[in-house]
Amino acid sequence: MADVATDGGHAGYVVEWLEDGVQIALSGSEQPTAYYILPFKTLEETAKMDEIQRK
């Protein structure tokens, strides 16, 4: 979870699409910009995770 504190000031975000995921930058007036990279899962990775959870 991200917490962006601004005390009523402007908070912002920037979304950048990457080849294998997405990067989200959250910014506010009271802390440095926080960057989050969320990778995309392939169908093969999803199938492997489903198989592991069934065990």
Side-chain angles (χ1 to χ4, degrees):
M1 179 190 301
D3 183 19
V4 177
T6 64
D7 277 344
H10 177 72
Y13 66 93
V14 175
V15 176
E16 180 180 343
W17 296 101
L18 307 172
E19 184 175 323
D20 57 352
V22 62
Q23 176 178 282
I24 302 169
L26 300 175
S27 59
S29 61
E30 296 184 357
Q31 72 281 312
T33 300
Y35 295 91
Y36 299 90
I37 296 177
L38 308 174
F40 295 139
K41 290 184 180 179
T42 64
L43 292 176
E44 293 168 351
E45 291 172 324
T46 302
K48 286 179 187 176
M49 290 302 297
D50 288 345
E51 185 177 317
I52 290 170
Q53 290 176 351
R54 286 188 209 125
K55 291 181 180 183

